[in-house]
Each structure stands twice: as C-alpha cells, then as structure tokens.
Amino acid sequence: MTDSAFAVVRAGALTTVQDLGRAGHAHLGVPRSGALDEPAHRLANRLVGNPEDAATLETTLTGCAVRLRRAATVAVTGAPCPVTVDGRTVAWGAPVRLPDGTVLDVGPATHGVRSYVAFGGGVDAEPVLGSRSTDVLSGLGPAPLADGAVLRLGASYGPAPAVDWVPYAGIVPELVLPVVLGPRDDWFTAAGLRTLTTGRFRVAAASNRIGLRTEGPALERARDGELPSEGMALGALQVPPDGRPVLFLADHPTTGGYPVVGVVPEPYLAAAAQAAPGTPVRFAPLRRPGQASRVRAGRR
Amino acid sequence: MTGGATTARAAGADGGAEAPQPGPRVLPVGEHGLLLEVGSGEAVEALHAELLRRAAARTLPAVREIVPAARTVLLDGVADPARLAAELVTWEIPPLVRGDEEAVEVPVRYDGPDLADVAGLWGVTPQEVARIHSGTEFRVAFSGFAPGFGYLTGLPERLHVPRRATPRTRVPVGSVALAGPYTGVYPRSSPGGWQLIGTTDAVLWDTARDPAALLTPGARVRFVVAEPTGPEGREQ
C-alpha cells in the first residue's frame, strides 16, 4: 500500500490516538477522553501547521516508533525525550520534515510521562461521537497502537510555520494541585480535610488515563457508606474507601458513588498528566467559585 | 420560556394536586461546575426536564454537560457558576408532567442465570418474575458505568435485590440485570455484579445511531417477553 499512512514499528507501553475528546455525552455514560496534556497536544499540532483539534499520538513513558509511508512534517512535545529519525537525533519540540520511508523513534521520557507526536494532516481514524480519541475506560475510538498496525494520515493542512523555539512549561519535580473543596467535603472530618491540604502524597504506580492515584495518608471520613451515584467532573478528587484521593483524568467514569472531596481546575490537569509514579503531590485549597481572588494558571 | 410561565402552566395542567418543587440545593464542583441536589428520583426527573426545557429555550447559560443521577444533576462547563447558582435557588421546578411519548420496548428472554435467585428473593416463581418485570413501566433515571448503560427505576421497594456477593468477571452483552432499585441492560460484555434475569438482542449502543444510546435519561422503557421463559425442565 502506498496510501498516506504510517506503520507502527514499536507501539510502546501504551500509545493512543488523541484529540480534544468528546465532551457533551456524559449523560449517556461517555467519558470526555482526549489528550491528557492538552496544551502539549495543541502545541504539537501548531508546530506542524494543524488545527489544534487534529489527532496526535499520546505515548506513555516508553515512547514509540513508526515508519512513514509518505513524507510528513512531525513534531514531538509533552514529556521530553530523545527523538531520532533513522537513528539520527533530531529536535524535540520543533517541526521536522521527514521523507517517505523514514523511521521516527520517539524515545523513553527523560522526565514526565506522556509525549505527543503530531503529523502534518493529523492522524486519521474513524471519529466516534465527533472524536478520534481512544477512551481506555469504555473502549470508544481507535484501538491503542500495536506493533505492525498501519494508521492513516489526513491530508496536509499546508506548510508548517517557521519556528525555531517554543516556550514550554516543563515537567515539575513536585506536583502542587490547587483544589476547590466540595461537593462532598462535608463527608470528611476537619482532620481529614487537614490531611488533604497538609499531607504529603505521591503519585501511585496504578495511575492511568482514568485517574491519578495517590499514596499517602488516608483522609478521615465523617460518615461511612456510599452516596447514591452522582455525576463526576473532570478533575474530581474522589476518595474511595481506602481514604487515598484519586484525581479523575480524561477517561474517568461519568458517575460514581464515592465522595468527591474537591475538584482540581482543568488548567492544572496537564501537570498531573506528566507526573510520573513516585512524584510528590501536595493539594492546596482554592477559594470556591464566586469568591474573589481566584488563582489562575495555565501552560499555554 | 421564563420560570414564571412554566410554573403557571404546570400548576394549571396539574389542577393544583402537586405543588412546584422548591429549587435545588446547590453544591460547588470546581471552578466551572455545580451539583444540584434534590430529595428524590422523581425530583431529579423534574429538575432535569426543566433544565433541558430552559436549555432548549436558551434561557439557561451555556453548559458543556448536564448529567442527571440518583439524587443530583451535575452541570459542568458553566462560565459563571456563582451567578447561575444564585438564580437556581430561586427556581420553582414545575411538577413533572408525564408525557404521552412512546415507551422504548426491549424484548427479553427471561433466561438469566440468576432468575431463580431473584425469584427466591421476591418469593415468586421464575415465570412470575418475567410477568412482574415485563409488566412494570420503567424510566431511565440516569446513565453511567458504560456508554449506553441506563439505570432504570420502576420496581417497588419490596422487589429491590442486592448485588451478587461475588461479581462475575464477564457478563454477556444484552444481559438484563437487577441491583438495588435499578434494572439495567449491559451494552457490551463486561465485568459486573448485578443479578442477571434475562437477555435481549436489542442494540443498546450504536455510535452510528443518534442518539447512540437506545436508553437515554428520562425515556420510558417496557420489557416485552420475547419468548417463553425457557424449557420446562430448567425451572423448578
């Protein structure tokens, strides 16, 4: 076949197709999904001249390698990593023009977790509910990459911009996550809430696209049992019976019965997506909506 | 449509038997969400219907998600949640007017592996489980667990059953199942702890269809016996 495509040479630990997800279907039980480090995904697309909602590849810790079946401009962002083309080192975080037949190897993350690989024209796959994102919770969207698989590329959107250098927020050695308390902070004792805001947590190895799990002190509950199922927001800090908060990421379930002690605003979730297992985590209380002096942060 | 108009219409239509509900309790969800809590599943249904009416009439500010659940409706992606919260508590929610919309009919073979256990819990024969279940009008209270999985209410409290002590690692697609106050149909095979009473060939989830889910929140549902409840020999 000589169509616009690339073949997967090395799929890596978990490499998925991601775009900006399929918001608006949570009432049908459909997670939003989409790139976990959304600013990195958007940047990768901009570097190759794509619209920001074009699909990229999201790698996990070990990178991936693909053989191009047509010439394409590519860019790798997100978790910093060695990038080679037919064994020769090329720039990370910059557009690179690759001839037909070359092998692009996105190496293991030197720090962080997820690198984003954009191709001029975007990764093509059958959209499901308006998105090409792989949702690992519900199985919607294209399958995760497998060795030998062939994926299509879309038609180029035009020339990539001339860029030598882009600002990038980088990977943080300690994850500090602002939290707006509620809706169920009253299910925890005052001591439990103090544990949340003063305790030293770490990112647990069991973290994935569904949630960032923590290890650390357990939050003391003021009441036992479960809630009747209620809607779960992106960034919700759900506390299962073991008392260790789980931060809900893009593939999180849409409803759940464990209490949500607080919610981390979306601009901070990109940093969470890049926090490798073992990274220290602290939670900092943020004022509730409607109160003055809301902290703002972003990485774009 | 204004809040005053809906209240007046609902009171008139209902002959004053049911007063409008007061507005919901509003809880914060991050910087751009609100969790609206009410006292019952029926109140959720009424609140959800009112939210959809106001969204259709464009009197509700733009929201990304409206997610009904057992006692709550989650609004996410709200630009100014403080302003909407202040407005919401003044709402009078008109009592639900059950429309004459068609019920979704789901054909079921009542042949599930837990049919006898459920019959035991209900104190009836397996055939009567099929008769009672297929004679009940259900409503999709909310979705979750998997795309297209609806939590259906309608069974009276005395017919609520616990989950299985040990969940199954694989429940086949199309299994019709009970747990707590709910009936559900598995849109794809998955692990599950619900009591399986039957099987349907209905396609619960099809992304080529709009909506992709056969059972959407608020929909009425009837289960229809697809064939006799199984060979005589299998029943005790």
Side-chain angles (χ1 to χ4, degrees):
Chain A
M1 274 169 52
T2 54
D3 55 343
S4 283
F6 61 87
V8 180
V9 176
R10 180 175 65 82
L14 174 68
T15 302
T16 58
V17 177
Q18 296 296 337
D19 55 19
L20 300 179
R22 46 182 74 83
H25 304 281
H27 62 289
L28 301 179
V30 177
R32 184 192 317 188
S33 197
L36 289 199
D37 185 344
E38 196 179 292
H41 161 90
R42 290 176 184 272
L43 175 61
N45 273 325
R46 288 203 305 275
L47 287 172
V48 300
N50 288 348
E52 293 183 355
D53 62 352
T56 63
L57 298 181
E58 178 184 277
T59 69
T60 311
L61 290 170
T62 60
C64 71
V66 302
R67 181 186 299 277
L68 288 174
R69 293 187 175 188
R70 74 147 152 91
T73 302
V74 305
V76 182
T77 63
C81 60
V83 182
T84 64
V85 173
D86 286 344
R88 269 197 288 258
T89 298
V90 299
W92 176 94
V96 180
R97 182 75 187 165
L98 302 186
D100 182 11
T102 50
V103 173
L104 169 71
D105 192 291
V106 178
T110 52
H111 33 279
V113 179
R114 297 174 171 95
S115 302
Y116 291 83
V117 190
F119 301 83
V123 180
D124 194 13
E126 193 61 38
V128 176
L129 300 177
S131 167
R132 297 182 167 89
S133 291
T134 299
D135 169 355
V136 302
L137 180 73
S138 58
L140 297 183
L145 266 58
D147 290 352
V150 175
L151 280 79
R152 283 175 294 145
L153 292 176
S156 173
Y157 291 97
V163 177
D164 290 330
W165 180 89
V166 291
Y168 181 65
I171 307 297
V172 294
E174 181 186 31
L175 189 59
V176 180
L177 293 173
V179 178
V180 179
L181 289 181
R184 301 298 177 186
D185 49 321
D186 59 343
W187 278 53
F188 298 85
T189 64
L193 295 179
R194 262 199 312 281
T195 301
L196 176 70
T197 53
T198 62
R200 297 302 173 112
F201 298 87
R202 282 182 185 278
V203 177
S207 301
N208 55 24
R209 285 186 45 85
I210 298 165
L212 181 146
R213 293 175 178 276
T214 61
E215 293 165 348
L219 272 55
E220 186 182 59
R221 289 265 292 262
R223 49 198 292 189
D224 292 328
E226 283 187 35
L227 291 150
S229 285
E230 60 189 30
M232 292 285 140
L234 182 63
L237 265 187
Q238 200 194 49
V239 184
D242 73 3
R244 274 83 186 184
V246 178
L247 174 65
F248 274 177
L249 300 178
D251 290 357
H252 72 86
T254 57
T255 58
Y258 298 136
V260 171
V261 65
V263 176
V264 176
E266 285 180 36
Y268 304 100
L269 297 179
Q274 296 293 5
T279 302
V281 186
R282 286 192 295 125
F283 297 101
L286 250 192
R287 287 165 198 258
R288 293 190 173 186
Q291 294 186 307
S293 150
R294 256 189 266 151
V295 178
R296 287 270 163 211
R299 297 178 54 201
R300 55 198 63 166
Chain B
M1 186 188 295
T2 68
T6 55
T7 304
R9 181 186 61 86
D14 206 52
E18 280 182 86
Q21 302 169 34
R25 181 181 175 224
V26 181
L27 301 166
V29 178
E31 289 190 323
H32 293 289
L34 297 171
L35 188 67
L36 316 182
E37 189 172 49
V38 292
S40 69
E42 290 71 30
V44 169
E45 190 177 1
L47 172 61
H48 183 229
E50 179 66 5
L51 285 163
L52 294 184
R53 269 194 297 275
R54 291 184 186 230
R58 300 186 181 277
T59 59
L60 186 74
V63 296
R64 190 171 56 215
E65 307 277 7
I66 300 177
V67 188
R71 294 290 179 272
T72 57
V73 180
L74 172 68
L75 302 180
D76 202 7
V78 184
D80 188 349
R83 185 168 160 190
L84 180 58
E87 190 189 312
L88 271 161
V89 293
T90 69
W91 282 19
E92 288 182 353
I93 312 300
L96 198 69
V97 182
R98 301 258 182 202
D100 45 9
E101 81 275 26
E102 290 279 300
V104 178
E105 294 202 344
V106 178
V108 182
R109 297 183 299 278
Y110 285 92
D111 59 1
D114 301 325
L115 185 65
D117 287 352
V118 169
L121 288 162
W122 286 9
V124 301
T125 65
Q127 293 95 322
E128 279 177 285
V129 171
R131 188 183 56 75
I132 293 166
H133 193 258
S134 61
T136 302
E137 182 168 306
F138 291 90
R139 190 187 66 79
V140 183
F142 58 97
S143 299
F145 175 63
F149 186 96
Y151 290 78
L152 278 53
T153 52
L155 287 174
E157 195 168 346
R158 68 192 154 77
L159 300 182
H160 296 179
V161 298
R163 288 162 194 260
R164 286 170 49 83
T166 308
R168 289 184 170 84
T169 53
R170 186 179 173 280
V171 172
V173 59
S175 294
V176 177
L178 306 182
Y182 302 115
T183 288
V185 186
Y186 284 76
R188 59 185 182 129
S189 74
S190 69
W194 290 32
Q195 311 260 10
L196 311 185
I197 62 169
T199 313
T200 182
D201 294 329
V203 177
L204 274 291
W205 180 254
D206 177 1
T207 55
R209 189 171 60 193
D210 185 21
L214 178 67
L215 309 180
T216 56
R220 293 165 57 217
V221 182
R222 279 187 55 237
F223 293 95
V224 182
V225 179
E227 60 179 52
T229 55
E232 291 293 322
R234 216 189 290 165
E235 294 162 14
Q236 281 129 30

